[in-house]
Amino acid sequence: MSESNGAMIEMIKVSKIYQPDIRALSDVSVSIAQGEMFFLIGMSGAGKTTFLKLLCNMETPTNGLIEIAGRDIQKLRGKTLARMRQKIGVAYQDFKLLTDRTVAENIAISMEVSYKKPQHIKKRVRDLLDRLALADKHDAITGELSRGEQQRVALARAVANSPTLILVDEPTGNLDATTTRRVMDLLTKCNHSGATVIIATHDDSIYRDTQHRIMELRSGKLHLIREGLPQ
Amino acid sequence: MSFWLAVLRQVARNLRQTWPSQFMTLLTVSLSVLIFAFFYLVYMNMLGVGDKLGDDLRLIVYLEEEPGPEMQEQLRRKILAFDEVEQIRFISKAEAYQRFADQLGNDRDVLDDMPRDFLPASIEVVPLKNLRSLSQVKLFSDYLARLPGTLKVQYGQDWIERFYYFTRLLSIVVLLSGGLLIMTTVFMVSYTIRLTILGRQAELELLRLVGATNNYIRTPFLIEGVLQGILGSTVGIISLYTLFHWIKLRFSGPGILTIFEFSFFQGPTVATIIFISVLLCTVGSYLSMQKFLRI
Ligand SMILES: Nc1ncnc2c1ncn2[C@@H]1O[C@H](COP(=O)(O)OP(=O)(O)OP(=O)(O)O)[C@@H](O)[C@H]1O
Ligand SMILES: [Mg+2]
């Protein structure tokens, strides 16, 4: 995925209205550059999750255009859509983990669908678990973990396949300060190796001191809070 | 990881998770194949026996008097009006006498005192060797007996007709059990695969989200169907083969079974049965996917 003008995401006048009449997003326009780290903040119910779901094609916008790496994602079907999704890592707010599988199996899934070699998968899983302080949970059944642990497994799965776009929804909701630090370190590392990272959160501890762009959703509209420093 | 390795892992996982219902399906498929193949085997062997019987089957129509060429043509047309036949042959009194004399061989001198035309002229009718004409031998003979100028009609034993009637009945049973085979395999396989799909909705949904291609999601279910077909039909055929040998050993004394040579299916027939079962199972799994895999 590469685009000449450097924009990873183009959203133009995007609205999302849930049935019957819930206006989650109205006329949102934003351009996010390749390799940018972007914070999306807002109160509960502001539409952050909706914003991310539109980007990964889980929901379709009621109006407006969404382009990722120069392609209108609503027009993607079949194989092209699958390939696009392999390049987008998402850590869902509700995790979407397979609770009857082990932690390692859950993380491996995102690499298996793009046919990575088994040795590579094993190595990558170990490495990620180390970074997220979950090394001893490799073979644990995911459903038996604490919320905070599950949250990190979801994050590990999102970044495992080295996607070019990473969407994280509330990555630190259940974590203490030290573990939050580890999570942010991992995301920063992914960002440094080229990935575009979008973090939706209302945890001000992770964006308080950041150099990156911060935008806030307020009643479905997007407002700039802080301009990112040029890198 | 290669596509097929990933797919096979999925299959193994599916089988581990749903093996009780998978096993029941396998059993059903085997049983259906066994039932169908059993009747088909009996039918095939009956046909073989029928061929041998049919070789000797002919109707002999004794005539009051020797027909002239014009009369022969008329009779021939009348016979063909009933059904096509393999052969019609007119035998004159002289020919009949000659044949009889040949049969007597060295004893032919007993004929010396007899007039040369003491045997009646006759028509030999050889029916076609197909089930339809063979099973209506009796009707045919009644028809021939009613032709003008016939004395009587002779043909092989009554039971030949009954035998062909039975074979026809058997062919219906074969068709019915074939229908049963189609229904059970398609429905059972699509049913188990539906169970698997419904039991794994969450996982299939997630696979789509992380970018699994349709083939990645679908192929394991197709393979499951193919496996059911291969295993089910093989088990069915092997059971039939065992049964066949057991019966052959058990009843190898004197009797009807020794008069006729009974044989098992040839390789191509076995291959066809397996191939069709695999096809049916694949159709079953495909139907299920069409309905329940929202891709
Ligand atoms: N599937 C849905 N059907 C109907 N309404 C929905 C649906 N999903 C979200 N909404 C509504 O849209 C609005 C935005 O929801 P969203 O989940 O995007 O908020 P959020 O910013 O992620 O909140 P939180 O911080 O609590 O996760 C809310 O009012 C919510 O009730
Ligand atoms: Mg949310």
Side-chain angles (χ1 to χ4, degrees):
Chain A
M1 295 211 295
S2 65
E3 241 295 89
S4 49
N5 69 8
M8 179 54 113
I9 293 169
E10 292 283 13
M11 279 177 114
I12 302 176
K13 291 180 85 63
V14 172
S15 302
K16 176 70 190 178
I17 300 171
Y18 287 112
Q19 291 306 323
D21 187 27
I22 303 161
R23 190 166 265 277
L25 293 179
S26 53
D27 281 347
V28 170
S29 298
V30 67
S31 170
I32 298 173
Q34 226 171 78
E36 185 176 347
M37 193 168 210
F38 179 94
F39 286 89
L40 182 68
I41 63 173
M43 295 193 321
S44 178
K48 302 182 295 295
T49 301
T50 304
F51 185 96
L52 296 184
K53 278 183 177 170
L54 290 177
L55 288 182
C56 64
N57 217 343
M58 261 178 86
E59 295 280 1
T60 48
T62 316
N63 277 310
L65 172 74
I66 302 177
E67 279 186 1
I68 294 183
R71 312 181 76 158
D72 183 346
I73 58 167
Q74 274 184 273
K75 296 216 176 101
L76 297 180
R77 292 280 178 281
K79 241 189 183 135
T80 1
L81 176 61
R83 284 227 193 81
M84 165 75 84
R85 282 177 160 167
Q86 288 173 15
K87 288 278 138 205
I88 303 177
V90 189
Y92 301 93
Q93 191 169 14
D94 56 355
F95 310 152
K96 296 196 193 303
L97 295 169
L98 303 175
T99 47
D100 54 345
R101 302 281 184 79
T102 67
V103 168
E105 282 173 325
N106 265 288
I107 299 173
I109 276 188
S110 63
M111 290 179 277
E112 282 170 3
V113 297
S114 55
Y115 315 128
K116 292 278 163 18
K117 288 196 178 67
Q119 311 92 280
H120 170 84
I121 295 180
K122 269 191 202 123
K123 213 170 133 256
R124 181 84 173 132
V125 168
R126 293 253 179 234
D127 176 52
L128 285 170
L129 289 178
D130 274 344
R131 284 177 191 280
L132 293 170
L134 288 170
D136 54 333
K137 300 292 187 205
H138 185 274
D139 295 316
I141 299 298
T142 312
E144 293 164 2
L145 301 183
S146 74
R147 298 276 303 165
E149 287 164 338
Q150 290 185 2
Q151 191 162 40
R152 280 172 283 158
V153 176
L155 182 79
R157 185 183 64 197
V159 303
N161 200 30
S162 311
T164 44
L165 175 59
I166 299 173
L167 310 176
V168 271
D169 200 347
E170 219 64 74
T172 57
N174 303 288
L175 305 180
D176 56 275
T178 326
T179 321
T180 298
R181 200 59 270 140
R182 281 176 177 272
V183 166
M184 288 315 293
D185 284 348
L186 177 60
L187 287 172
T188 307
K189 180 175 167 285
C190 292
N191 181 236
H192 284 162
S193 48
T196 310
V197 181
I198 300 180
I199 302 170
T201 185
H202 44 222
D203 175 2
D204 69 341
S205 74
I206 60 174
Y207 62 81
R208 201 185 302 132
D209 307 317
T210 187
Q211 309 280 298
H212 302 287
R213 179 151 61 134
I214 306 172
M215 291 188 96
E216 180 176 2
L217 273 172
R218 240 177 277 138
S219 50
K221 295 212 180 289
L222 203 53
H223 302 273
L224 182 65
I225 299 298
R226 216 203 90 113
E227 197 68 69
L229 289 182
Q231 295 173 338
Chain B
M1 194 185 302
S2 80
F3 175 75
W4 288 108
L5 190 61
V7 161
L8 288 180
R9 277 182 49 157
Q10 296 259 94
V11 172
R13 197 177 281 146
N14 281 359
L15 293 184
R16 235 183 300 128
Q17 275 174 1
T18 56
W19 70 266
S21 56
Q22 301 278 1
F23 184 72
M24 286 309 293
T25 308
L26 187 70
L27 221 61
T28 318
V29 173
S30 320
L31 214 61
S32 310
V33 170
L34 175 65
I35 291 171
F36 168 77
F38 172 78
F39 285 120
Y40 189 55
L41 184 65
V42 173
Y43 177 72
M44 294 255 299
N45 278 292
M46 285 299 178
L47 280 189
V49 171
D51 266 357
K52 277 190 204 123
L53 292 177
D55 282 345
D56 302 331
L57 185 69
R58 60 197 56 206
L59 296 109
I60 298 171
V61 186
Y62 293 103
L63 299 172
E64 284 164 359
E65 55 189 60
E66 192 143 351
E70 196 178 335
M71 180 74 178
Q72 284 193 5
E73 202 40 54
Q74 283 178 316
L75 283 172
R76 184 187 296 276
R77 249 182 281 134
K78 275 318 233 180
I79 292 171
L80 289 175
F82 181 84
D83 196 3
E84 273 186 78
V85 296
E86 175 103 7
Q87 196 190 26
I88 299 175
R89 220 156 67 81
F90 287 90
I91 294 162
S92 65
K93 292 184 174 188
E95 267 178 283
Y97 181 88
Q98 192 52 48
R99 271 199 193 180
F100 192 39
D102 289 348
Q103 278 172 12
L104 288 177
N106 290 336
D107 299 328
R108 64 187 311 161
D109 37 324
V110 298
L111 288 179
D112 287 351
D113 297 337
M114 305 295 284
R116 292 230 138 203
D117 58 354
F118 85 104
L119 288 169
S122 57
I123 318 173
E124 248 184 49
V125 182
V126 182
L128 285 181
K129 284 192 192 55
N130 62 39
L131 271 184
R132 192 172 56 84
S133 50
L134 293 179
S135 60
Q136 53 191 14
V137 160
K138 177 133 177 57
L139 277 180
F140 198 12
S141 104
D142 290 346
Y143 173 83
L144 294 175
R146 280 198 304 274
L147 289 180
T150 51
L151 286 173
K152 68 171 194 167
V153 181
Q154 254 185 8
Y155 66 98
Q157 305 83 335
D158 254 8
W159 67 271
I160 292 188
E161 191 189 354
R162 250 176 271 138
F163 173 83
Y164 283 109
Y165 180 71
F166 175 69
T167 318
R168 238 164 62 161
L169 199 72
L170 201 60
S171 72
I172 294 172
V173 175
V174 170
L175 285 182
L176 283 181
S177 63
L180 183 84
L181 174 77
I182 293 175
M183 306 243 280
T184 48
T185 39
V186 171
F187 285 123
M188 278 306 281
V189 170
S190 76
Y191 178 74
T192 31
I193 289 186
R194 189 186 75 158
L195 276 190
T196 326
I197 290 177
L198 293 185
R200 296 177 51 205
Q201 276 304 349
E203 180 187 350
L204 297 176
E205 186 58 36
L206 179 73
L207 281 175
R208 263 189 288 276
L209 288 178
V210 294
T213 55
N214 287 349
N215 283 340
Y216 185 96
I217 297 175
R218 274 187 187 148
T219 313
F221 295 110
L222 277 183
I223 289 188
E224 239 170 74
V226 170
L227 276 183
Q228 291 279 12
I230 292 177
L231 280 180
S233 54
T234 312
V235 169
I237 296 273
I238 290 177
S239 324
L240 182 64
Y241 189 72
T242 321
L243 194 71
F244 176 80
H245 267 271
W246 181 76
I247 290 177
K248 239 185 154 178
L249 282 181
R250 193 74 209 271
F251 298 98
S252 60
I256 180 136
L257 287 161
T258 43
I259 302 176
F260 303 108
E261 180 75 26
F262 279 88
S263 56
F264 199 69
F265 298 125
Q266 303 291 304
T269 315
V270 172
T272 308
I273 292 179
I274 292 181
F275 175 76
I276 289 178
S277 311
V278 170
L279 202 71
L280 290 175
C281 292
T282 316
V283 167
S285 68
Y286 189 77
L287 286 181
S288 220
M289 288 187 322
Q290 285 296 318
K291 251 199 191 145
F292 298 101
L293 264 190
R294 296 185 304 265
I295 293 188

